[in-house]
Amino acid sequence: MIQTSILPDNKRKQIEIMHQITLLQQQPRTKRKVKKLRTKLEKLMDKRDEAKRCIFVTNTINGIAKELGFNDLFSIHFDRIREQEITIEEIAVHFDMSEKAVAKRLTKLGVIKEK
């Protein structure tokens, strides 16, 4: 799985950048370099958080769905998924469907209210 390989490599890069920032802060006239490194560090941290979230969503949905297909799930399954604050977009990505199709099914089952 791609997400699990992102995490260790990403963490290693974060530590390297933090070390570089620490060294640069001890020298005069390095604000610009430090700012660039901090921006890079924030991007890596965001990417790591995104990967962790994707792993959480996958594990949660798989734990609740128990290998059932999207059309085989009942409102109780979707209620449990939504209780975990998993969005319609994340459900759609997990089941490789459009958000519109997921929203239509959830509305039909009464999990979400019609707009």
Side-chain angles (χ1 to χ4, degrees):
M1 181 178 258
I2 294 171
Q3 291 94 358
T4 55
S5 65
I6 289 173
L7 298 179
D9 185 50
N10 185 300
K11 187 66 175 177
R12 182 185 52 74
K13 289 178 184 176
Q14 286 180 33
I15 291 170
E16 287 174 7
I17 291 172
M18 284 187 259
H19 182 70
Q20 290 174 1
I21 289 172
T22 304
L23 291 175
L24 284 172
Q25 286 176 333
Q26 296 170 1
Q27 300 172 12
R29 299 186 199 126
T30 58
K31 286 183 182 181
R32 191 173 292 154
K33 287 181 183 178
V34 169
K35 187 175 180 179
K36 281 184 180 179
L37 286 172
R38 282 195 178 146
T39 302
K40 188 175 180 179
L41 178 61
E42 287 172 11
K43 286 180 183 177
L44 285 170
M45 292 170 82
D46 288 346
K47 189 173 183 180
R48 182 176 170 89
D49 290 344
E50 184 180 315
K52 281 184 175 181
R53 176 69 183 177
C54 187
I55 291 167
F56 166 76
V57 167
T58 299
N59 290 341
T60 302
I61 292 175
N62 286 342
I64 293 169
K66 306 275 190 229
E67 297 184 23
L68 293 173
F70 180 79
N71 292 323
D72 298 327
L73 297 175
F74 296 104
S75 61
I76 187 85
H77 296 107
F78 291 114
D79 284 335
R80 290 180 183 158
I81 290 169
R82 299 280 288 159
E83 284 171 3
Q84 299 299 315
E85 297 183 9
I86 295 175
T87 65
I88 292 173
E89 178 185 4
E90 291 169 327
I91 295 169
V93 169
H94 179 80
F95 287 105
D96 195 27
M97 301 176 72
S98 70
E99 284 183 58
K100 188 176 180 178
V102 171
K104 184 178 177 181
R105 173 111 167 109
L106 295 182
T107 302
K108 182 179 176 184
L109 292 173
V111 177
I112 59 174
K113 305 280 189 262
E114 220 172 312
K115 292 181 181 180

